[in-house]
Amino acid sequence: MLLSISSSNPLLLHSHPHLSSLPHFPSSLLISPLINPSKPKPSTIKLSIDASSSPIPPSPVLKPTTTPSPSFRTKPPKDINILVTGSTGYIGKFVVRELCRRGFNVIAVARERSGIRGRNDKDQTLQQLAGSTVCFSDVTDLDALHRSLDSLGLPIDAVVCCLASRTGGIKDSWKIDYSATRNSLVAGRRLGASHLVLLSAICVQKPLLEFQRAKLKFEAKLEKEAADGTGFTYSIVRPTAFFKSLGGQVETVKGGKPYVMFGDGRLCACKPISEEDLASFIADCVMDEDKACKILPIGGPGKALTPLEQGEMLFRLLGQEPKFLKVPIGVMDFAIGVLDFLSKIFPSLEDAAEFGRIGRYYAAESMLVLDPETGEYSADKTPSYGEDTLEDFFARVIREGMAGQELGEQTIF
C-alpha cells in the first residue's frame, strides 16, 4: 500500500462530507417557468453595513433595516420560495430534490460548470436540478449573486446553504466555508429571508482544522444575526459521516484485497446517515419551529460503528473471511511532521500539510457528539434519524457498484 499526500489527492479517511469547490465563473442566468414576469420586483430597502473581522478581506454584510416576516411557515409549500446554495454539491442535489418533492418553490444557485472539477455543463446541471428554478451565478462574488437574484424578481422566504470547501485547503476554507456562505445569508436577507438552514459538520465541535474554524465563525455570525431582534432564525445541522464516504473500499475488498484501517480499527466510530435521510432532515428544518435557533447534531439509525465493525460487516455481506491491513497512525504523524517542516521553507506546501492533518483527524476522531461533561464522544447522545442503514448501502454497492457515488478527491485508500 502506498500513502501519498498531495494537493490533488488530500488525505481523508471516511468523512469530509461537505466538500464543494467553487472557482470563479462568469455569471449568467436561466429562468424557469416559475417566474412571473408581471410580478413586481421587491421594493428597494435601506441597507446597513456590518463589516465583521475575518482572516480574508471582508465584503460588506448587508442587513435590511425593515423587519422580515417569519410568517412564511403559515403558508403552503407552493407559496414558499427557498434559495439553495451549494445545490450541485453532493448533499445539495439531494436537498433540492427533497424540497421540490415537498412542493416548495426552489431557487437553486449553481455554477456554469459544476461537479467534481467542473465536469457538468449547464444542460447536465438543469437535468440534475429538475423541478427547481436554476440561477447560474457565482456565490463567491456577492455583487454577481445580487444581480442574478434580482433578475428573478422573486422574494426569498428561507435559505438552505449546503456550501463547503471541496479540498479543505486553508484559503479555500475561508473563501467557501465562511465568505461564500456569508454571501448566501446576505443575499437571502436582502430579499426578505427570515430563516437559514446551514449544513455544517459534527467535527466542528473539536476544531483543529482550518475549515472547522471557518464554519464556526459563520455559525457564530448566524447566532448574532438571530439576536438582533428582527425575527430572523436559523437551524445549524451538524451531520455525522455519509454513506458515500464509507464505501470507498467496497470494490477493492470485493476484488480480494484487504480492508485497510488505522491502528486496531477502534480509534473512532460514527453513526453514518444516508444522503436521502439527511436531505429529509434538512427539509424538516425549514418549517419546524422546534428546530429554529438550534444546533442540531444528527446521525443515522442504529449503533455507532468503528472501522473494524464496518469492515467485518462488509466481509460478512461478501461471504468472505475477514482480511485486514492495519496501518499505524504514526505513519500519518510522521508525514504531517515532514510537511509542516517543509511548508515553513516552501509556503506552497501549507495546504498539503493541512490535507495531512485532515486525514489524521478523521483517522482518530469519532463523528459523534462530544459530551461536554466527560470530554468523550458519546453514541448515546448522538441523535438518530431516518431508516437507511449502512449495511443496506454496502449490499447495494456490492450489487450495483459506486456509480453516482464517486469519491473524487475525497479518498485515502
Side-chain angles (χ1 to χ4, degrees):
M1 180 191 66
L2 175 65
L3 290 179
S4 64
I5 305 176
S6 69
S7 60
S8 62
N9 183 24
L11 282 178
L12 301 178
L13 183 60
H14 59 250
S15 174
H16 197 213
H18 39 276
L19 306 177
S20 173
S21 174
L22 289 168
H24 287 283
F25 288 94
S27 63
S28 61
L29 180 68
L30 182 75
I31 303 174
S32 80
L34 168 64
I35 299 161
N36 182 354
S38 64
K39 189 170 183 177
K41 293 183 180 180
S43 58
T44 302
I45 56 178
K46 295 181 180 180
L47 301 169
S48 61
I49 296 177
D50 171 18
S52 61
S53 60
S54 165
I56 56 176
S59 60
V61 176
L62 307 177
K63 297 180 182 179
T65 55
T66 56
T67 302
S69 170
S71 62
F72 78 89
R73 290 188 179 91
T74 67
K75 299 189 291 187
K78 67 182 181 65
D79 295 329
I80 297 175
N81 296 334
I82 301 178
L83 177 69
V84 180
T85 55
S87 62
T88 58
Y90 186 65
I91 298 301
K93 60 191 177 187
F94 285 95
V95 170
V96 168
R97 189 180 308 159
E98 178 63 19
L99 290 171
C100 289
R101 187 190 70 79
R102 296 189 185 196
F104 293 103
N105 297 324
V106 179
I107 300 150
V109 179
R111 295 167 290 150
E112 292 186 345
R113 301 290 304 187
S114 65
I116 298 173
R117 290 178 288 276
R119 66 185 179 188
N120 295 333
D121 59 22
K122 283 185 176 181
D123 289 339
Q124 290 169 311
T125 299
L126 290 171
Q127 184 177 7
Q128 184 181 79
L129 301 176
S132 69
T133 295
V134 178
C135 174
F136 288 102
S137 193
D138 181 358
V139 291
T140 68
D141 184 336
L142 183 57
D143 290 338
L145 184 59
H146 282 331
R147 289 193 299 271
S148 299
L149 292 174
D150 284 349
S151 297
L152 292 171
L154 293 169
I156 302 297
D157 294 298
V159 178
V160 176
C161 181
C162 299
L163 291 169
S165 165
R166 182 179 298 280
T167 67
I170 294 172
K171 291 181 180 178
D172 195 58
S173 292
W174 287 101
K175 179 181 179 182
I176 306 303
D177 291 305
Y178 182 73
S179 287
T181 303
R182 178 184 60 183
N183 289 348
S184 304
L185 170 65
V186 173
R189 292 282 275 148
R190 180 173 175 267
L191 295 176
S194 59
H195 185 63
L196 186 145
V197 182
L198 175 68
L199 174 61
S200 186
I202 202 165
C203 63
V204 300
Q205 60 193 336
K206 188 175 181 180
L208 303 178
L209 306 168
E210 208 65 26
F211 81 86
Q212 296 166 338
R213 299 182 188 104
K215 284 183 178 296
L216 281 175
K217 184 177 176 70
F218 183 73
E219 287 189 10
K221 183 165 191 62
L222 276 184
E223 293 172 339
K224 181 179 178 182
E225 189 87 0
D228 66 4
T230 64
F232 175 79
T233 58
Y234 64 85
S235 299
I236 297 172
V237 180
R238 292 180 176 177
T240 60
F242 302 157
F243 285 180
K244 177 184 83 163
S245 58
L246 302 180
Q249 296 192 67
V250 175
E251 297 289 350
T252 56
V253 170
K254 185 178 178 180
K257 300 288 180 62
Y259 187 92
V260 184
M261 59 191 182
F262 285 101
D264 63 358
R266 298 185 179 93
L267 295 176
C268 58
C270 64
K271 293 177 71 171
I273 186 169
S274 75
E275 292 73 15
E276 292 89 348
D277 282 343
L278 178 56
S280 178
F281 183 81
I282 289 172
D284 290 347
C285 291
V286 172
M287 299 294 281
D288 190 347
E289 292 191 60
D290 289 340
K291 292 181 172 61
C293 294
K294 290 181 180 177
I295 293 174
L296 303 162
I298 194 69
K303 60 170 294 204
L305 298 170
T306 64
L308 176 63
E309 291 170 318
Q310 295 166 32
E312 290 171 341
M313 176 190 295
L314 182 55
F315 284 114
R316 184 173 67 253
L317 289 169
L318 289 166
Q320 298 178 4
E321 284 294 318
K323 183 168 55 175
F324 294 99
L325 177 59
K326 301 178 181 180
V327 181
I329 194 72
V331 170
M332 299 192 75
D333 293 331
F334 174 78
I336 293 167
V338 171
L339 287 169
D340 273 336
F341 173 78
L342 292 176
S343 68
K344 292 178 174 60
I345 304 171
F346 306 103
S348 62
L349 292 176
E350 66 176 5
D351 273 356
E354 184 72 1
F355 299 151
R357 285 188 286 271
I358 291 172
R360 173 65 168 80
Y361 189 99
Y362 287 114
E365 302 291 339
S366 291
M367 297 298 107
L368 300 169
V369 167
L370 188 62
D371 188 336
E373 295 180 1
T374 65
E376 302 291 333
Y377 292 107
S378 172
D380 292 337
K381 293 192 175 183
T382 305
S384 296
Y385 182 91
E387 298 179 356
D388 299 338
T389 67
L390 183 65
E391 186 167 1
D392 290 339
F393 171 76
F394 277 170
R396 185 169 73 250
V397 173
I398 289 170
R399 292 192 309 269
E400 304 170 8
M402 285 284 285
Q405 302 277 342
E406 292 83 0
L407 293 172
E409 296 171 352
Q410 306 171 42
T411 183
I412 183 169
F413 299 127

